[in-house]
Amino acid sequence: KMQKKEAKNLLGEKLNVIYRDVKRPIYDSGVITVKDDAMLNNWYKKYAKDVFKKYLDEAYYVFDEKIPYPIIKVRSMKTRWGVCNRKTLTITLNSNLINYNIETIDYVIIHELSHLVHFNHSKEFWKVVSKYCPNYKQIRKSLKE
């Protein structure tokens, strides 16, 4: 039997969620069918990690600066979109970032990778960010809204 439908976001587009008694999530162009919220959240997290990893790889290989290849982690965070830990060479991305478009995800990844060059928010840091993401100011603004 068909249950309630709920709209969420995925990569800046609407994602329609259908609840049905399924063994595993079924995703097909903008529609995800899941058994319950737990299944949905697991799928979201795994999907987010795959997408973030893909864009991390793309951004990493574009960087001219010599930086180590970081470990990527995904978790839900209340106040930040990303965190860079230089000691453990880990970049943690907010799982809610998967709701946003690729451009926004890309900006956050570039921002965190830039911390491997300059571990601060100095003028030099923002120079690196703008080199790989020229319109970062607009994107930052949209993330604050």
Side-chain angles (χ1 to χ4, degrees):
K1 77 177 177 29
M2 188 107 145
Q3 264 180 301
K4 64 178 168 91
K5 270 177 105 162
E6 189 192 333
K8 281 190 168 321
N9 277 331
L10 185 72
L11 300 177
E13 302 288 321
K14 278 266 171 285
L15 174 70
N16 288 306
V17 183
I18 297 171
Y19 294 92
R20 254 200 213 141
D21 194 21
V22 290
K23 293 272 174 277
R24 57 188 171 75
I26 303 156
Y27 176 65
D28 184 32
S29 56
V31 181
I32 179 102
T33 305
V34 290
K35 190 174 70 194
D36 51 27
D37 284 336
M39 186 184 276
L40 178 65
N41 294 338
N42 284 338
W43 178 83
Y44 247 104
K45 208 168 175 182
K46 191 188 173 318
Y47 189 88
K49 193 160 190 180
D50 292 345
V51 170
F52 297 166
K53 175 98 173 72
K54 179 181 162 214
Y55 287 95
L56 172 79
D57 285 350
E58 281 185 21
Y60 180 81
Y61 294 113
V62 168
F63 260 64
D64 301 324
E65 293 77 6
K66 267 264 156 272
I67 54 171
Y69 184 83
I71 295 159
I72 189 165
K73 286 182 177 170
V74 179
R75 69 182 173 88
S76 169
M77 294 187 276
K78 286 273 180 278
T79 57
R80 295 195 283 186
W81 291 111
V83 181
C84 177
N85 185 324
R86 270 228 305 219
K87 264 201 196 76
T88 60
L89 297 177
T90 305
I91 286 176
T92 305
L93 296 171
N94 189 326
S95 50
N96 291 324
L97 205 50
I98 197 64
N99 300 327
Y100 290 82
N101 60 21
I102 295 298
E103 191 185 34
T104 305
I105 293 169
D106 217 31
Y107 157 69
V108 175
I109 289 171
I110 287 164
H111 181 115
E112 298 312 326
L113 284 175
S114 299
H115 278 312
L116 295 170
V117 184
H118 299 287
F119 202 62
N120 50 35
H121 287 111
S122 63
K123 241 196 179 103
E124 278 63 46
F125 166 82
W126 290 111
K127 238 183 238 158
V128 176
V129 172
S130 73
K131 179 174 163 185
Y132 302 108
C133 186
N135 61 334
Y136 78 89
K137 285 184 176 150
Q138 288 158 273
I139 300 169
R140 267 173 73 84
K141 227 183 107 213
S142 73
L143 273 173
K144 289 191 173 118
E145 279 161 9

